[in-house]
């Protein structure tokens, strides 16, 4: 069966510091991968998605970037965090003919202080 | 651009009652998917039910069913025989069939099931 991991689960970082959040998927190959952000009390907003290694699409201009160095690894980064980057970050995957169904990881709660 | 609206920020019902969560959406697409996701206190998003726009029959998954009204662009979720474990945030979401599979979420409804 497929599983999706995210780490860290919780992160507190000062403004101006770098960020690296990691997402990995097990049990499948060539998944579609997604990064979402959920601000407090709000719905999810798609940040990035990837259909293959090195293929990244950005949905909104922001202080963040994404990379996919390996088939089942998706990384969310920032060189300098802003207060507005605080939120709950969720990674999701989908695959093949069922690509319309996305399955989410446990998420990372990021607090920028 | 597609938008999804959930007009009920919070709802509360007694255990074993039936509850209906509302969702409306706006799109010019004719083929798409609609979803309900559940986010319990653990914060992990869980897919509850899916509806294909080309299907007239409403989707059902055990105690969960939808009322899909394509012309009205309405997609409500009914939870029958509600249980304490149903307490969660519920999000309605839209996805176009064409292009990248991107979910557009509503703002969510916080549902509390009381004992």
């Amino acid at each position: 069966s497929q599983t999706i991991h995210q780490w860290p689960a919780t992160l507190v970082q000062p403004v101006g510091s770098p960020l690296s959040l990691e997402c990995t998927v097990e049990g499948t190959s060539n998944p579609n991968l997604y990064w979402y952000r959920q601000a407090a009390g709000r719905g999810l907003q798609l940040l990035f998605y990837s259909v293959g290694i090195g293929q990244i699409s950005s949905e909104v201009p922001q202080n963040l970037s994404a990379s996919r160095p390996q088939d089942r690894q998706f990384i969310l980064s920032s060189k300098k965090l802003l207060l507005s980057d605080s939120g709950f970050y969720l990674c999701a995957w989908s695959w093949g003919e069922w690509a319309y169904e996305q399955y989410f990881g446990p998420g990372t709660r990021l607090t920028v202080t | 651009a597609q938008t999804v609206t959930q007009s009920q920020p919070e709802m509360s019902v007694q255990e074993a009652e039936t509850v209906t969560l509302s969702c409306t959406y706006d799109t010019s697409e004719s083929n798409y998917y609609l979803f309900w996701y559940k986010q319990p206190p653990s914060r992990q998003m869980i897919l509850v039910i899916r509806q294909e726009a080309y299907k007239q029959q409403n989707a059902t998954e055990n105690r969960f069913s939808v009322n899909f009204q394509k012309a009205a662009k309405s997609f409500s979720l009914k939870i029958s025989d509600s249980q304490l474990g149903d307490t969660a945030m519920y999000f309605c979401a839209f996805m176009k069939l064409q292009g990248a599979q991107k979910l557009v979420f509503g703002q969510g409804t916080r549902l509390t099931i009381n004992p």
Side-chain angles (χ1 to χ4, degrees), chain A residues 32 34 36 38 41-44 46 49 59 88 90 99-106 109, chain B residues 33 35 37 39 42-45 47 50 52 89 91 95 100-103 105-108:
Chain A
N32 301 317
Y34 309 83
Y36 291 87
Q38 185 178 28
R42 307 281 306 264
L44 277 68
L46 179 64
Y49 67 93
E59 284 298 294
F88 191 63
L90 286 147
Y100 49 79
E101 291 196 0
Q102 294 184 15
Y103 298 93
F104 287 79
R109 180 183 298 279
Chain B
Y33 292 106
F35 304 85
Y37 278 87
Q39 188 179 39
S42 67
R43 303 293 299 272
Q44 183 155 4
M45 297 288 284
L47 178 62
R50 179 188 81 247
E52 292 89 341
M89 283 288 289
F91 293 95
M95 178 189 288
Q101 285 83 16
K102 299 182 286 186
L103 284 166
F105 284 88
Q107 297 292 74

Side-chain angles (χ1 to χ4, degrees), chain B:
Chain B
Q2 291 73 34
T3 59
V4 178
T5 303
Q6 294 179 248
S7 59
Q8 305 152 311
E10 295 188 25
M11 296 188 71
S12 178
V13 298
Q14 296 298 119
E15 192 175 9
E17 289 183 346
T18 294
V19 60
T20 299
L21 308 182
S22 301
C23 172
T24 58
Y25 57 95
D26 187 27
T27 184
S28 58
E29 302 286 329
S30 57
N31 293 314
Y32 48 87
Y33 292 106
L34 294 165
F35 304 85
W36 280 98
Y37 278 87
K38 168 184 177 181
Q39 188 179 39
S42 67
R43 303 293 299 272
Q44 183 155 4
M45 297 288 284
I46 301 166
L47 178 62
V48 175
I49 199 165
R50 179 188 81 247
Q51 175 77 44
E52 292 89 341
Y54 62 86
K55 290 186 177 179
Q56 292 187 338
Q57 186 173 4
N58 290 322
T60 299
E61 290 287 343
N62 300 314
R63 299 183 295 107
F64 299 85
S65 61
V66 299
N67 183 4
F68 173 49
Q69 301 291 327
K70 190 173 184 179
K73 295 181 182 176
S74 170
F75 183 60
S76 61
L77 174 70
K78 185 173 81 171
I79 305 174
S80 303
D81 186 26
S82 59
Q83 300 174 0
L84 297 179
D86 295 332
T87 293
M89 283 288 289
Y90 286 81
F91 293 95
C92 179
F94 171 98
M95 178 189 288
K96 293 192 301 182
L97 245 64
Q98 300 301 322
Q101 285 83 16
K102 299 182 286 186
L103 284 166
V104 177
F105 284 88
Q107 297 292 74
T109 296
R110 183 178 301 280
L111 175 65
T112 302
I113 310 299
N114 299 307

Side-chain angles (χ1 to χ4, degrees), chain A residues 4-90:
Chain A
I4 179 169
H5 304 280
Q6 285 187 247
W7 61 87
T10 305
L11 191 59
V12 180
Q13 292 283 91
V15 168
S17 64
L19 173 73
S20 181
L21 304 182
E22 189 166 343
C23 169
T24 59
V25 180
E26 295 178 356
T28 186
S29 60
N30 196 30
N32 301 317
L33 296 171
Y34 309 83
W35 278 112
Y36 291 87
R37 177 170 59 200
Q38 185 178 28
R42 307 281 306 264
L44 277 68
Q45 180 186 37
L46 179 64
L47 301 176
F48 301 94
Y49 67 93
S50 171
V51 297
I53 296 175
Q55 301 178 62
I56 310 294
S57 296
S58 174
E59 284 298 294
V60 294
Q62 59 209 318
N63 186 42
L64 302 168
S65 62
S67 62
R68 186 170 176 173
Q70 300 181 39
D71 181 43
R72 291 170 289 176
Q73 184 184 32
F74 205 24
I75 296 173
L76 184 69
S77 304
S78 173
K79 293 182 179 178
K80 290 185 177 181
L81 284 168
L82 306 173
L83 286 174
S84 58
D85 292 324
S86 292
F88 191 63
Y89 290 82
L90 286 147

